[in-house]
Amino acid sequence: MGLSPGTPPLLLRALACEPVERVPVWVMRQAGRYLPEYRELRSQVDDFMDLVRRPELCCTLALQPIRRYDLDAAILFSDILTVPDALGCGVHFVAGEGPRLRRRIEDGASLARLDAFDPARLDYVYEAVERIRSALPDSVALIGFSGSPWTLAAYMVEGGGSSDFARLRALLYQQPDTLRELTGILAGAVREYLLAQRDAGAQALQLFDTWGGLLPGHLWRELSLRPACEAVRGLDVPVILFTKGGGLWLEDMRDAGFGALGIDWTCDLADARRRLGEGVALQGNLDPLALRAAPGLLREEVGRILDAHPGPGHIFNLGHGITPATDPEALAVVVDAVRSRAVT
């Protein structure tokens, strides 16, 4: 169905909890290693951050899944560690290991050595947003994003990815003031970063609080939710907060003013709607590994999630990012199953 002139994209209407003809669909990490066209382009660039700093390539990559699938949104192709990199942490990627930071936060002294955040250092991101928006049809929304202050702090303390973030969690109890100050600095930086993405053409924004689930509840409210609220203050576009492992705190996120919440696959979608009531959009939440299932079973899983949320205010997505080993045809099955179901 074509859009009437002036009609907002389907995703934006769903984020506003308006009635829609069907549930919009996009997936986290939809431009990624599971796509052969992504792997071909990625092989031409040595370091991943060199790829991220080239707006023309970021535009090409963001458009790859849009061209392959009938998705309702593109998401900026970038990395959540652009902000720590702009603060002077020296982000680079090690083959087979992932991101590493040359400078990490160990204490108040190392925190004081951070560069002041200058949003102009990330002009390459805003140029990518402009390029992607210009290349997209009006019916496809463009989502910008950032890591949440807490999640960025996790990488900055740990020095990279981790299975348990032991350095981070130790610092949490040894020097809590250092983490309070760091998340405060990051809240301001993320806000400026997202404002610039909005001004460049992003129509919605997602805040990835990937490591919020590491925290006990009282510390999550202080070190994750509070700086996240500051980071999105006054953005004037829809913001989706995705907190992996955050199913316990849905009401807190709603009460803090977030009008759209991404939920992971461990959270029951129907229960989430019952808890939150109307007026908050929910995004999710198919288990990414369900895409390994046979097509018939995969369609059943998609149908189960759609049945759990039959009304407006739902954006179909995975409960986390699509995995590199996923068969691209599996996502085609998901998209077709979602798009063939009208909202009743």
Side-chain angles (χ1 to χ4, degrees):
M1 180 182 294
L3 284 177
S4 302
T7 302
L10 188 67
L11 177 86
L12 299 187
R13 288 183 277 144
L15 285 171
C17 295
E18 296 174 359
V20 292
E21 56 273 21
R22 60 168 180 78
V23 174
V25 54
W26 71 281
V27 301
M28 290 182 275
R29 292 198 197 123
Q30 64 190 24
R33 287 177 288 169
Y34 74 104
L35 291 175
E37 55 266 43
Y38 171 92
R39 295 195 298 271
E40 180 180 356
L41 193 153
R42 174 67 182 88
S43 69
Q44 301 171 24
V45 181
D46 291 334
D47 186 82
F48 181 76
M49 288 303 291
D50 291 336
L51 179 64
V52 167
R53 295 187 184 106
R54 295 179 61 179
E56 74 282 3
L57 297 185
C58 292
C59 179
T60 297
L61 291 169
L63 295 174
Q64 284 178 347
I66 304 303
R67 291 169 174 154
R68 182 182 272 261
Y69 308 108
D70 203 1
L71 296 163
D72 294 298
I75 186 166
L76 164 69
F77 185 87
S78 189
D79 191 82
I80 65 170
L81 296 181
T82 51
V83 170
D85 193 53
L87 289 167
C89 290
V91 176
H92 62 291
F93 281 71
V94 178
E97 297 182 18
R100 291 289 180 267
L101 282 69
R102 293 187 175 91
R103 292 169 55 189
R104 69 180 191 86
I105 303 303
E106 303 176 75
D107 50 27
S110 56
L111 181 60
R113 289 193 293 270
L114 282 178
D115 296 347
F117 181 71
D118 178 1
R121 287 190 176 185
L122 300 176
D123 280 349
Y124 59 87
V125 176
Y126 320 137
E127 182 182 340
V129 172
E130 292 173 354
R131 286 174 177 260
I132 298 164
R133 182 61 268 167
S134 295
L136 287 172
D138 291 343
S139 59
V140 178
L142 175 58
I143 303 168
F145 74 90
S146 175
S148 72
W150 167 254
T151 288
L152 297 182
Y155 286 105
M156 292 170 71
V157 171
E158 204 69 25
S162 172
S163 60
D164 60 4
F165 284 88
R167 286 173 170 168
L168 171 74
R169 290 159 62 203
L171 191 68
L172 178 66
Y173 298 104
Q174 293 167 350
Q175 300 182 46
D177 287 345
T178 297
L179 278 170
R180 292 186 186 102
E181 185 176 354
L182 176 57
T183 53
I185 291 168
L186 288 166
V190 168
R191 182 171 181 274
E192 290 188 70
Y193 183 48
L194 292 176
L195 280 167
Q197 290 185 40
R198 180 204 66 182
D199 293 345
Q203 297 159 292
L205 299 163
Q206 177 150 316
L207 201 62
F208 285 91
D209 189 30
T210 310
W211 301 115
L214 290 172
L215 288 162
H218 67 292
L219 291 175
W220 172 80
R221 293 177 184 89
E222 178 183 4
L223 293 173
S224 177
L225 183 60
R226 183 185 298 171
C229 290
E230 177 59 26
V232 303
R233 178 176 52 83
L235 290 177
D236 299 325
V237 293
V239 177
I240 306 160
L241 176 61
F242 173 72
T243 298
K244 186 170 178 284
L248 291 172
W249 307 314
L250 296 178
E251 293 89 347
D252 295 86
M253 292 185 264
R254 175 201 61 196
D255 294 346
F258 285 95
L261 302 177
I263 58 176
D264 68 26
W265 69 93
T266 66
C267 186
D268 182 84
L269 185 61
D271 182 61
R273 175 53 70 204
R274 283 192 296 269
R275 288 166 55 188
L276 294 172
E278 303 302 320
V280 176
L282 290 174
Q283 179 176 276
N285 66 333
L286 182 69
D287 185 342
L289 291 186
L291 277 77
R292 307 280 185 90
L297 181 57
L298 180 54
R299 283 184 172 274
E300 289 181 14
E301 284 297 301
V302 172
R304 180 184 60 79
I305 289 173
L306 294 172
D307 288 342
H309 197 304
H314 180 210
I315 299 98
F316 192 94
N317 207 311
L318 304 182
H320 199 217
I322 193 167
T323 60
T326 300
D327 182 345
E329 290 306 309
L331 184 55
V333 170
V334 169
V335 175
D336 180 70
V338 175
R339 290 183 68 91
S340 64
R341 176 81 74 92
V343 173
T344 57

